[in-house]
Amino acid sequence: MSTPPAIRIENLAKRYAAPKGAKGEDAEGKLALNGVSFDVPEGSIFGLLGPNGAGKSTLINILAGIVNKTSGSANIWGFDIDEQRRNASRSIGIVPQEIVFDPFFTPYEVLENQGGFYGISGKDRRSEELLAAVRLADKRNAYARTLSGGMKRRLLVAKAMVHSPPILVLDEPTAGVDVELRRQLWELVKEMNQEGVTVVLTTHYLEEAEELCDEIAIINHGELIAHKPTRELVDMAREKIVAVTLAEDLGQAPAHEAFSKVELAGERGLEVTYNKDQLNAGQVLAILQEQGLTVEDVTTREADLEDVFVQLTGSGS
Ligand code: ADP
Ligand code: MG
């Protein structure tokens, strides 16, 4: 028997109202989500990947109850977001894309207030434990406005977990965050996941999705264009590159029908792109040798998510 999904999204669509006085195509309003369906498996780290404007925040904000969907359905931890909104909300903790805090509360107060909001009684509150988990115990009594951007982000993660939801959702947790802080947040996400929390994160960083996520859904212009285990998605990039250094100078790149692309890289360097379903690196080298070239050095580059993304969206970002 398979466990029910942590989140199930079916045919979800959102059309934002058009601004007053909009004409032509704009008068219909922006179709931000166009019939998106997927399941988030319980216990996974799930990545919702897509370029800016793809519809990621719209989807998250529908789950959060901040944006009203136009059609379709969403189910969180078995609770329908329309029929069982309260239970659905209690099952999910959301870290929004924008950081907003009252600057005059301390981290401890922020968490206590949130606990009060959820009606959690004093003895059942987890404020101290959560501050420690997000490495903010020493900032317990500092004003929120004195915290760095990274600390604020971590405080938001703690705030989202106050009611101990089984699902944590982070909307672009590392956008505009430096490398060091990004690593810290990744560690935090992995820790939470190891403790059993299902994590959904949106990102436009391929590297982040590849590093953290078990499964990835890619959306572009409001449509789901892929949803697969990360490994399989990476395997979808069929193009591979062999870079060689030759013993002789080359005037022009040698062409061959089996190669998808050949580019000169300096005087004696050559980069051959080929489809790994049709050739292997050894055959690429054999073809070069048949053409009278002497190969001195070879490296191959594995396909990564970036390649898949470009292939699927036809864009570079
Ligand atoms: P992402 O989070 O992937 O960057 P969003 O969900 O924020 O994408 O936006 C998807 C599309 O919907 C974009 O074209 C955006 O301009 C539009 N959009 C987002 N919020 C609103 C809104 N409140 N009113 C009208 N259009 C919006
Ligand atoms: Mg967004």
Side-chain angles (χ1 to χ4, degrees):
M1 249 178 53
S2 60
T3 29
I7 297 176
R8 167 161 288 173
I9 284 163
E10 280 177 305
N11 223 0
L12 198 63
K14 171 64 187 179
R15 188 183 288 281
Y16 286 105
K20 267 212 176 87
K23 292 206 173 64
E25 208 177 291
D26 292 344
E28 292 188 340
K30 175 78 194 176
L31 186 60
L33 288 176
N34 187 10
V36 171
S37 306
F38 60 81
D39 285 354
V40 175
E42 183 184 344
S44 64
I45 303 183
F46 188 94
L48 185 60
L49 187 67
N52 283 327
K56 304 182 295 297
S57 292
T58 298
L59 194 149
I60 300 306
N61 290 338
I62 290 171
L63 295 179
I66 301 168
V67 165
N68 288 322
K69 64 187 165 58
T70 304
S71 59
S73 69
N75 186 292
I76 302 170
W77 211 246
F79 302 112
D80 182 90
I81 61 164
D82 294 330
E83 317 267 304
Q84 297 150 296
R85 182 71 248 178
R86 203 178 137 83
N87 281 330
S89 294
R90 286 200 160 252
S91 307
I92 199 166
I94 295 188
V95 181
Q97 189 169 349
E98 305 302 331
I99 299 183
V100 270
F101 278 120
D102 187 324
F104 297 105
F105 283 112
T106 68
Y108 181 75
E109 289 165 344
V110 166
L111 300 188
E112 286 292 300
N113 291 345
Q114 186 76 354
F117 173 79
Y118 277 103
I120 301 164
S121 69
K123 67 172 172 40
D124 291 326
R125 293 208 187 143
R126 308 172 59 200
S127 305
E128 308 282 359
E129 175 201 332
L130 285 169
L131 285 176
V134 299
R135 325 274 190 281
L136 285 175
D138 59 334
K139 297 287 173 188
R140 187 184 188 278
N141 299 319
Y143 283 127
R145 71 179 141 87
T146 67
L147 303 180
S148 70
M151 290 174 182
K152 285 180 183 153
R153 193 70 75 174
R154 271 157 30 218
L155 180 53
L156 280 176
V157 173
K159 191 179 168 198
M161 294 303 293
V162 157
H163 57 296
S164 309
I167 306 168
L168 173 65
V169 176
L170 303 117
D171 193 4
E172 304 253 7
T174 61
V177 161
D178 69 37
V179 178
E180 170 65 22
L181 276 173
R182 193 174 300 174
R183 289 262 154 220
Q184 276 186 22
L185 277 163
W186 289 359
E187 284 313 307
L188 189 57
V189 164
K190 285 180 186 169
E191 249 175 62
M192 300 260 176
N193 181 248
Q194 269 153 22
E195 281 161 24
V197 177
T198 301
V199 179
V200 177
L201 63 95
T202 79
T203 182
H204 60 264
Y205 295 119
L206 302 161
E207 186 205 353
E208 181 157 275
E210 198 169 353
E211 156 93 21
L212 280 181
C213 302
D214 305 304
E215 276 189 25
I216 295 175
I218 301 180
I219 57 172
N220 197 26
H221 301 302
E223 293 187 8
L224 186 76
I225 56 172
H227 170 207
K228 288 190 188 307
T230 306
R231 195 66 261 150
E232 278 179 37
L233 209 51
V234 169
D235 281 347
M236 273 175 63
R238 311 316 296 180
E239 304 263 277
K240 240 183 131 163
I241 295 169
V242 172
V244 296
T245 308
L246 300 166
E248 51 277 298
D249 285 358
L250 275 173
Q252 68 180 73
H256 192 278
E257 60 193 12
F259 299 159
S260 335
K261 197 169 76 183
V262 184
E263 280 179 333
L264 292 175
E267 299 269 281
R268 300 186 167 187
L270 203 59
E271 285 191 359
V272 178
T273 306
Y274 62 98
N275 186 315
K276 69 180 178 190
D277 293 336
Q278 289 158 20
L279 283 184
N280 62 39
Q283 290 168 319
V284 171
L285 296 180
I287 291 171
L288 293 176
Q289 273 154 2
E290 275 167 24
Q291 300 195 340
L293 302 168
T294 314
V295 175
E296 284 193 334
D297 199 15
V298 186
T299 55
T300 60
R301 190 167 76 73
E302 274 302 320
D304 62 17
L305 209 47
E306 174 106 40
D307 300 312
V308 180
F309 199 75
V310 170
Q311 209 168 302
L312 288 171
T313 63
S315 81
S317 59

